[in-house]
């Protein structure tokens, strides 16, 4: 009767059997969509456990080897991510473990982690608050040029079109000229009533839900502070979408939209300026998408830090 050890030793391993007619090195080999829990501190000191989708890869440098040991990558992902908080140090150690498990087969490793992080957001005026789920993507690699780490997320906001606002004001002025005789004195009560009447405010500017997709590379040693990044971007825009909304909050949101008219180019420059002034950020790439209510197509702008060899070099 075979022991377990003997049984394993006798099992065939076809991955080690070369296929000479198909020999060749491969850029990346591994798995994507691994389901695993992750523990992540977004910057408020309260680590949150989330369900994540993980991609784990190494390159295959040996043309004479048919494949890698995918089960080793899976077990390492489970060992590290299930028990340890996600940060730069842990991810670098995990990638080194990937390579140690594939000695003489690989010299590069990478991992991607995708999950939603819940962040509590206060209402604009009332004492209420609610949760926002921000998508998070973390990409880490260990290659010839060392360890590299990127954080991606999205900010959803409202954008009111400046051109539409100007055209609406013109129509309101024209309606005012029709309703009030320039040769007669204005009656304060009549004007006040007119301003609160739909027949007076005959046009309103169009606004749209908009998305800023962010990819950030922090300087070495800087923490993955998601909340600080979100706060900086949302404050630069002025109109992030809300959670709990009472009438006073909705009115405050309308006021914020009126004071933050912006084309997608304006939004891109606001975020660019906000991230440029953060010395924890080495580079960034932002894609702004204004999902137009006027057109069936979207208005889009890109921005980056503009460092040599960075995200801005022809990236779309």
């Amino acid at each position: 009767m075979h022991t377990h050890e003997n049984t394993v030793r006798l099992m065939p391993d076809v991955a080690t059997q070369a296929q000479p007619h198909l020999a060749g090195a491969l850029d990346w080999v591994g798995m994507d969509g691994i389901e695993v829990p992750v523990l992540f501190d977004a910057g408020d000191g309260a680590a949150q456990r989330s369900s994540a989708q993980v991609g784990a890869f190494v390159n295959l440098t040996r043309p004479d080897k048919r494949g890698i040991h995918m089960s080793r990558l899976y077990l390492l992902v489970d060992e590290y991510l299930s028990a340890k908080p996600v940060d730069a140090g842990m991810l670098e150690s995990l990638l080194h473990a990937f390579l140690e498990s594939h000695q003489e087969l690989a010299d590069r490793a990478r991992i991607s982690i995708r999950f939603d992080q819940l962040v509590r957001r206060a209402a604009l005026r009332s004492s209420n608050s609610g949760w926002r789920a921000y998508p998070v993507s973390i990409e880490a690699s260990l290659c010839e040029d060392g360890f590299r780490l990127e954080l991606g997320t999205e900010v959803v906001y409202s954008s009111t079109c400046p051109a539409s606002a100007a055209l609406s004001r013109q129509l309101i002025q024209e309606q005012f000229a029709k309703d009030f005789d320039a040769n007669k004195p204005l009656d304060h009560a009549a004007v006040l009533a007119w301003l609160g009447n739909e027949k007076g405010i005959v046009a309103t500017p169009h606004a749209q839900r908009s998305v800023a997709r962010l990819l950030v590379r922090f300087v070495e040693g800087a923490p993955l502070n998601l909340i600080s990044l979100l706060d900086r971007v949302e404050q630069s825009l002025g109109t992030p979408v809300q959670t709990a909304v009472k009438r006073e909050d909705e009115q405050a949101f309308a006021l914020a939209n009126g004071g933050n008219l912006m084309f997608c180019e304006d939004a891109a420059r606001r975020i660019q300026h906000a991230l440029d002034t953060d010395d924890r950020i080495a580079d960034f790439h932002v894609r702004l998408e204004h999902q137009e209510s006027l057109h069936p197509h979207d208005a889009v702008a890109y921005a980056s830090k503009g460092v040599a060899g960075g995200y801005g070099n022809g990236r779309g």
Side-chain angles (χ1 to χ4, degrees):
M1 183 174 181
H2 292 297
T3 65
H4 175 70
E5 182 181 354
N6 289 334
T7 303
V8 172
R9 188 160 51 244
L10 293 174
M11 286 182 178
D13 185 0
V14 298
T16 64
Q17 300 170 11
Q19 291 185 304
H21 62 290
L22 290 176
L26 297 176
D27 294 338
W28 297 108
V29 185
M31 295 164 288
D32 203 5
I34 301 171
E35 297 171 348
V36 65
V38 294
L39 191 63
F40 182 66
D41 180 358
D44 57 0
Q48 185 180 125
R49 191 169 293 280
S50 304
S51 174
Q53 297 279 318
V54 175
F57 298 89
V58 294
N59 63 337
L60 181 55
T61 61
R62 292 278 299 273
D64 60 324
K65 296 296 183 181
R66 189 173 185 181
I68 67 164
H69 306 287
M70 293 198 184
S71 62
R72 297 179 185 178
L73 297 183
Y74 180 92
L75 293 173
L76 286 168
V77 166
D78 183 47
E79 176 188 346
Y80 278 73
L81 295 184
S82 296
K84 303 176 183 179
V86 174
D87 58 25
M90 184 274 279
L91 292 173
E92 187 171 4
S93 296
L94 175 55
L95 293 177
H96 278 293
F98 280 4
L99 294 181
E100 289 170 7
S101 73
H102 285 77
Q103 290 183 13
E104 300 182 359
L105 287 180
D107 58 14
R108 291 188 285 120
R110 68 181 176 92
I111 187 168
S112 63
I113 307 171
R114 302 174 298 278
F115 59 96
D116 286 342
Q117 184 77 12
L118 286 168
V119 179
R120 195 154 191 96
R121 291 306 205 187
L124 289 173
R125 288 280 174 82
S126 70
S127 60
N128 298 303
S129 63
W131 293 100
R132 282 278 292 115
Y134 293 92
V136 178
S137 64
I138 297 173
E139 300 271 348
S141 61
L142 191 60
C143 300
E144 300 84 355
D145 55 353
F147 178 69
R148 185 182 181 94
L149 180 62
E150 300 173 334
L151 173 69
T153 190
E154 293 181 3
V155 168
V156 182
Y157 61 101
S158 174
S159 58
T160 301
C161 176
S164 180
L167 294 169
S168 297
R169 289 193 298 267
Q170 182 185 46
L171 290 174
I172 293 170
Q173 286 177 319
E174 291 174 355
Q175 188 63 42
F176 183 89
K178 291 179 182 177
D179 293 346
F180 293 91
D181 191 335
N183 298 315
K184 294 181 180 179
L186 289 174
D187 181 88
H188 180 273
V191 173
L192 191 63
W194 184 89
L195 289 170
N197 194 309
E198 290 182 3
K199 294 181 179 179
I201 307 302
V202 293
T204 57
H206 71 80
Q208 50 267 324
R209 184 180 294 177
S210 304
V211 183
R213 294 185 171 88
L214 312 167
L215 186 61
V216 170
R217 183 163 57 86
F218 292 99
V219 299
E220 186 176 352
L224 296 174
N225 196 323
L226 174 70
I227 292 177
S228 175
L229 175 65
L230 294 171
D231 287 346
R232 186 173 283 268
V233 171
E234 290 185 350
Q235 288 166 12
S236 73
L237 294 168
T239 52
V241 295
Q242 301 298 299
T243 55
V245 175
K246 300 289 283 184
R247 277 180 295 178
E248 59 264 40
D249 303 312
E250 186 169 0
Q251 187 178 61
F253 192 65
L255 182 63
N257 270 273
N260 287 284
L261 307 176
M262 56 185 141
F263 296 120
C264 63
E265 297 94 331
D266 300 318
R269 290 183 175 120
R270 288 186 185 194
I271 296 175
Q272 184 182 50
H273 177 73
L275 299 186
D276 264 337
T277 56
D278 190 337
D279 56 11
R280 296 167 298 179
I281 295 176
D283 197 6
F284 61 84
H285 178 269
V286 186
R287 183 185 191 274
L288 283 296
E289 181 181 296
H290 285 195
Q291 299 169 355
E292 290 279 356
S293 59
L294 175 63
H295 309 288
H297 51 267
D298 300 329
V300 177
Y302 295 86
S304 66
K305 191 172 181 66
V307 299
Y311 291 132
N313 294 342
R315 183 174 184 143

